[in-house]
């Protein structure tokens, strides 16, 4: 039985693992959790994706950051490319891990808490939503300020940090970050538009467009 990467098109965190499997042409079967829910729920009681398993070898991985590392170190055959993606020094490696972990935890969680109530995926509460916006604004400013003086997040080229953070920003660009938002955050927008053209993720983003409207709070 081949290794299985469980994902769902409804979620953000599996985007980069799926892109990496496709880019490296890895011998991994990509399975939508809805198509194999019985086995997925049995093997992964928390039912979170991405999740990676090979039942014959005992491979069992959860947590997006660990799956990113496994896929790159296992299936990228060019050692120099591995260094470029994950960092060529201890400091770069640490920075890549920092942004990757931040992307799929605090940043994405704050973004979800702000956007989902606007699009009917979470209950809307005016006070909680105002707090969520303030919390998200803090994070977005961190990225905007950093990218003002950096072309990429870590090095002078694309790393896993850029790929991971871009996937989280996709949730915003898809639902809430319109052209007016881009004018407020030109550095993020410049960087985002560059990263989505990368061969690592271009296939996923090829048919994706920035939203033209901003959802309004329910009345």
């Amino acid at each position: 039985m081949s290794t299985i990467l469980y994902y769902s098109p409804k979620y953000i965190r599996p985007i980069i693992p799926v892109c990496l499997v496709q880019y490296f042409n890895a011998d991994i079967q990509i399975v939508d959790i809805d198509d194999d829910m019985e086995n997925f729920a049995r093997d992964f009681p928390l039912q979170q994706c991405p999740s990676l398993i090979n039942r014959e070898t005992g491979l069992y991985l959860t947590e997006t950051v660990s799956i990113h590392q496994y896929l790159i170190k296992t299936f990228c055959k060019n050692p120099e490319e591995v260094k470029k993606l994950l960092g060529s020094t201890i400091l770069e490696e640490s920075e890549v891990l920092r942004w990757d972990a931040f992307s799929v935890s605090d940043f994405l969680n704050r973004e979800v808490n702000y956007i989902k109530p606007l699009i009917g995926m979470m209950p809307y509460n005016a006070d909680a939503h105002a707090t969520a916006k303030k919390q998200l604004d803090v994070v977005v400013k961190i990225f905007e300020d950093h990218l003002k003086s950096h072309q990429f997040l870590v090095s002078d080229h694309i790393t896993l940090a850029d790929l991971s953070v871009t996937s989280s920003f996709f949730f915003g660009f898809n639902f809430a970050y319109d052209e007016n938002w881009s004018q407020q955050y030109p550095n993020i927008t410049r960087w985002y538009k560059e990263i989505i053209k990368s061969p690592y993720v271009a296939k996923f983003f090829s048919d994706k467009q920035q939203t033209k409207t901003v959802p309004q709070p329910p009345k």
Side-chain angles (χ1 to χ4, degrees):
M1 180 182 293
S2 66
T3 301
I4 294 174
L5 172 66
Y6 282 110
Y7 90 111
S8 171
K10 296 178 289 187
Y11 300 136
I12 296 297
R13 291 180 179 90
I15 290 174
I16 298 305
V18 169
C19 287
L20 291 174
V21 167
Q22 294 172 338
Y23 177 80
F24 293 127
N25 195 26
D27 184 20
I28 293 178
Q29 183 181 2
I30 301 171
V31 176
D32 188 328
I33 58 174
D34 289 338
D35 295 334
D36 194 25
M37 182 53 72
E38 182 177 354
N39 288 322
F40 174 67
R42 181 196 65 214
D43 292 324
F44 299 98
L46 293 178
Q47 298 185 30
Q48 295 176 340
C49 62
S51 294
L52 195 69
I53 191 168
N54 187 311
R55 297 179 180 91
E56 292 180 352
T57 65
L59 172 66
Y60 178 98
L61 280 180
T62 62
E63 309 309 319
T64 311
V65 173
S66 70
I67 292 173
H68 287 164
Q69 294 282 320
Y70 173 81
L71 292 174
I72 292 171
K73 291 182 177 180
T74 302
F75 296 101
C76 181
K77 304 305 181 185
N78 184 340
E80 290 306 311
E81 186 176 13
V82 173
K83 288 181 180 179
K84 282 187 175 182
L85 285 170
L86 299 182
S88 57
T89 66
I90 292 176
L91 180 57
E92 283 188 355
E93 290 176 1
S94 300
E95 284 292 315
V96 169
L97 283 170
R98 166 203 174 196
W99 290 114
D100 190 14
F102 186 51
S103 166
V104 298
S105 57
D106 287 347
F107 171 40
L108 185 56
N109 290 338
R110 292 185 185 206
E111 195 173 50
V112 163
N113 288 339
Y114 169 67
I115 295 175
K116 279 192 173 182
L118 295 177
I119 58 178
M121 296 180 69
M122 286 175 58
Y124 178 82
N125 175 278
D127 292 339
H129 193 253
T131 299
K133 185 179 188 307
K134 289 179 181 179
Q135 292 176 338
L136 177 60
D137 286 347
V138 170
V139 173
V140 171
K141 188 176 186 302
I142 289 173
F143 286 112
E144 180 68 11
D145 290 347
H146 182 78
L147 290 167
K148 184 176 182 179
S149 56
H150 297 79
Q151 183 178 2
F152 304 105
L153 288 174
V154 174
S155 188
D156 60 355
H157 55 263
I158 290 174
T159 67
L160 172 63
D162 298 290
L163 303 179
S164 182
V165 174
T166 294
S167 70
S168 293
F169 264 111
F170 165 67
F171 188 69
F173 277 94
N174 193 49
F175 287 110
Y177 304 161
D178 64 354
E179 287 295 335
N180 289 331
W181 185 95
S182 288
Q183 290 175 15
Q184 289 182 266
Y185 301 104
N187 299 311
I188 292 174
T189 301
R190 180 269 309 163
W191 162 86
Y192 178 83
K193 289 182 177 180
E194 181 171 0
I195 303 305
I196 64 175
K197 295 178 183 177
S198 159
Y200 296 105
V201 297
K203 180 178 179 180
F204 172 82
F205 284 100
S206 63
D207 61 347
K208 307 299 188 296
Q209 300 293 327
Q210 182 176 6
T211 185
K212 297 185 183 301
T213 59
V214 179
Q216 298 302 307
K219 294 182 179 179

